[in-house]
Amino acid sequence: FQHKVLAGRRVLITAGPTFEPIDPVRGITNLSSGKMGYAVARAAREAGADVTLVSGPTALPTPHGVRRIDVLTAQQMHDVVMAGIEGQHVFIGVAAVADWRVANASDQKIKKAEGGGAPQLEFVQNADILATVAATTTLSGWPYCVGFAAESENLMAYGAAKREKKGIPLLVGNIGPQTFGQDENTIILFDETGPTLLPRADKLTLARQLVSEIAKRLERRSLL
Ligand code: C5P
């Protein structure tokens, strides 16, 4: 589709949902299918990158030539990412990481109580993987960090703010109402120059456009 614009680059990508256990057979997850993250992994590989995909539970095949590491929880995803981040040129957080995990998860299957009482779950916040990686960015700008945002409203205002809050150079906003599980998407790229709309297209087309936008920015950065 394009030249190997990411040849010689190492790219680490998170994708899919996470699964936060309640007990050994139950848990909390979300509706992320992993399609966008897998499309980005495929597009980065096509562009010549060495790609590692850290994936929550999905039903998708591994893109050709991509190294895939499966995880279940946000904590596992965080640990695998941090163990592999050194030497990466690009980090792209596409995963829908659970904001909270169950603090009082049970080692054994929770039994239904006589009399209808229900378990009381407590939650604790998970680490923000993207913000953690962004905070390790070196002076020379590695790894180049890209985030995704799925806001239900007011994406234009929140997108720019989220980019700043996470401390990342590029944030990709999904235009709602519902992109999870769909084959198509409309996205807006927020960088230091403002928003750029990528019109509605299938996720692989958008992923290829995103990869070439990232490559352009890496090239500019290398010239500085
Ligand atoms: O803060 P919010 O969840 O809206 O930000 C979404 C972006 O942050 C995505 O790129 C997602 O992969 C990343 N993220 C993360 N770790 C978290 C929460 C979100 O890497 N715990």
Side-chain angles (χ1 to χ4, degrees):
F1 78 101
Q2 54 185 192
H3 334 287
K4 304 277 180 188
V5 290
L6 289 181
R9 303 294 199 189
R10 286 181 291 275
V11 178
L12 184 63
I13 299 165
T14 65
T18 65
F19 177 91
E20 308 298 326
I22 293 171
D23 71 16
V25 297
R26 304 186 182 97
I28 294 170
T29 186
N30 61 63
L31 288 175
S32 169
S33 63
K35 283 179 183 171
M36 191 66 206
Y38 278 58
V40 173
R42 173 173 167 185
R45 178 64 198 144
E46 287 174 351
D50 174 300
V51 180
T52 304
L53 178 62
V54 182
S55 177
T58 72
L60 300 173
T62 307
H64 189 254
V66 167
R67 181 185 314 107
R68 170 171 162 189
I69 305 174
D70 286 330
V71 298
L72 215 48
T73 68
Q75 275 181 306
Q76 289 167 359
M77 186 174 275
H78 170 274
D79 293 351
V80 168
V81 167
M82 295 320 288
I85 198 66
E86 205 182 311
Q88 297 293 333
H89 297 101
V90 180
F91 174 72
I92 312 174
V94 196
V97 184
D99 290 313
W100 306 279
R101 65 179 174 275
V102 179
N104 57 343
S106 170
D107 293 344
Q108 287 152 20
K109 186 181 172 192
I110 301 170
K111 301 269 186 287
K112 245 192 273 182
E114 303 287 328
Q120 301 295 309
L121 299 181
E122 283 159 31
F123 291 89
V124 56
Q125 203 171 344
N126 282 320
D128 188 317
I129 302 167
L130 177 60
T132 307
V133 171
T136 70
T137 303
T138 61
L139 276 181
S140 51
W142 305 115
Y144 185 82
C145 289
V146 182
F148 273 69
E151 296 294 346
S152 53
E153 73 248 20
N154 228 338
L155 178 67
M156 285 311 247
Y158 286 142
K162 180 159 288 188
R163 174 183 167 273
E164 299 273 332
K165 190 171 138 226
K166 299 259 180 187
I168 57 176
L170 185 62
L171 181 97
V172 182
N174 289 305
I175 297 188
Q178 172 63 282
T179 67
F180 280 180
Q182 303 295 307
D183 290 323
E184 290 193 339
N185 202 356
T186 306
I187 61 183
I188 302 181
L189 307 186
F190 294 90
D191 70 3
E192 76 288 353
T193 68
T196 309
L197 180 80
L198 299 189
R200 188 155 193 83
D202 63 273
K203 287 180 173 176
L204 183 57
T205 300
L206 291 171
R208 287 169 172 161
Q209 290 170 349
L210 174 62
V211 160
S212 66
E213 292 295 325
I214 291 171
K216 266 195 250 168
R217 287 165 175 79
L218 291 187
E219 213 155 288
R220 258 185 253 144
R221 190 157 286 217
S222 310
L223 293 177
L224 294 179

